Amino acid sequence: MKGTRVREQLRALVKLAEIDAKARGIDDRLKGLPVELEERRLGVKRLEDLVTRQRNALAEAERLLGTQELDVASRNDALSKAKSKGAKAKNGREAEAAERELEGVRRSIKDGETHRDALKDRIEKMRGGLGDPERALEEAKGELAVAESELEGKLSALREERASVVAGREVYAKLIHKDHTRIYDRIVKGKPPAVCEVNANGICSACRMAVAPQRFIQIQRGEILNCQSCQRFLYTKASLDE
Ligand SMILES: [Zn+2]
């Protein structure tokens, strides 16, 4: 370790940061996949609730229509009765009374029919309105089933990818002085990345603060130094070369 040249350590730090950044990216995807699936499940649940509410409302309207049809039928019975009463009228007064009753029954039939037809219209609209949510629900269920069956495969592919990404990590980690490793690990735990580039104007690419001129020169020479404001290890592209 002591014999490891500084530039080699600097390159190892940069490599380590690259590997860790890739691994973090994969970790995010690993965490994101179950969340995505959970969101899909919630989406299906919401659609199911919507369809159930609409189906219940439709069933209720159909029940009302049944009652209304019975009501119209019974008013028609009342009409026949009123008619036969009229036919049996013995005098003008009775005939007049029967006619008035008949008129009332006819009006009530008309009202009942109007109400019944309005209910039929409403039911028609409700049935039409169910089509889209039902289709959307079927579609969402299908997509969820596919996503569920694909999840395990995706997760294991990502786990494999992660394993191959971090496979070479140890080789670089061993090259780095333990004091640097301590700082590196602390930064990665807090706000990764732990290593970042300084641009040609001496600005730290992570925190956007200017590096002190003398420090910038040392960094350009390939010394291992940290940003004074964000503590990250700094390098310039040229500092990695011989
Ligand atoms: Zn910085």
Side-chain angles (χ1 to χ4, degrees):
M1 166 115 53
K2 238 179 178 171
T4 312
R5 289 183 308 133
V6 172
R7 200 178 300 273
E8 209 174 326
Q9 279 197 58
L10 183 62
R11 287 197 203 114
L13 274 168
V14 172
K15 268 297 193 191
L16 211 59
E18 274 173 20
I19 289 170
D20 288 348
K22 272 189 202 159
R24 275 195 306 279
I26 295 170
D27 287 341
D28 286 347
R29 281 154 69 201
L30 277 166
K31 274 184 229 141
L33 284 175
V35 174
E36 203 180 287
L37 199 67
E38 207 33 56
E39 278 164 8
R40 274 190 195 284
R41 286 200 187 103
L42 280 175
V44 167
K45 176 84 177 63
R46 272 195 294 272
L47 280 168
E48 260 167 0
D49 290 348
L50 175 72
V51 168
T52 303
R53 270 199 308 278
Q54 292 195 3
R55 279 182 187 152
N56 288 345
L58 176 62
E60 174 60 13
E62 280 167 339
R63 196 188 60 77
L64 278 175
L65 177 63
T67 311
Q68 192 56 28
E69 271 166 348
L70 283 176
D71 191 42
V72 169
S74 80
R75 288 178 202 191
N76 275 308
D77 285 347
L79 182 68
S80 321
K81 276 181 198 141
K83 272 181 182 162
S84 66
K85 218 185 207 176
K88 285 179 205 147
K90 293 191 193 84
N91 51 48
R93 202 168 54 82
E94 275 185 20
E96 215 175 286
E99 189 47 45
R100 268 201 304 279
E101 193 184 338
L102 213 54
E103 215 28 64
V105 174
R106 281 197 185 104
R107 253 200 315 277
S108 99
I109 288 173
K110 210 163 178 0
D111 289 349
E113 283 172 346
T114 307
H115 189 192
R116 180 199 63 198
D117 292 346
L119 267 173
K120 277 184 178 169
D121 279 355
R122 212 169 98 210
I123 286 168
E124 241 1 85
K125 283 201 186 93
M126 285 168 115
R127 282 193 186 125
L130 252 173
D132 281 348
E134 277 177 341
R135 267 190 299 279
L137 176 60
E138 281 319 300
E139 212 171 285
K141 273 184 179 169
E143 284 168 3
L144 175 62
V146 171
E148 273 172 340
S149 71
E150 281 177 358
L151 180 70
E152 268 319 306
K154 278 186 181 169
L155 287 176
S156 62
L158 279 173
R159 284 187 202 112
E160 267 174 44
E161 194 185 333
R162 192 187 194 285
S164 79
V165 162
V166 299
R169 194 185 187 280
E170 223 15 61
V171 177
Y172 299 108
K174 272 186 195 150
L175 297 174
I176 299 162
H177 191 280
K178 62 179 189 308
D179 290 344
H180 294 328
T181 304
R182 243 199 319 275
I183 297 170
Y184 182 97
D185 290 343
R186 198 187 60 224
I187 298 171
V188 164
K189 260 189 207 151
K191 281 185 178 174
V195 184
C196 62
E197 203 182 332
V198 189
N199 71 15
N201 299 319
I203 305 293
C204 167
S205 62
C207 72
R208 314 308 301 172
M209 295 300 284
V211 176
Q214 180 54 37
R215 186 170 274 251
F216 185 38
I217 290 166
Q218 288 171 285
I219 289 165
Q220 283 172 307
R221 281 197 205 121
E223 288 183 39
I224 297 177
L225 289 169
N226 304 79
C227 172
Q228 285 156 299
S229 36
C230 73
Q231 314 307 321
R232 293 180 173 96
F233 290 97
L234 298 175
Y235 69 95
T236 64
K237 282 211 173 68
S239 70
L240 298 178
D241 302 330
E242 282 305 321

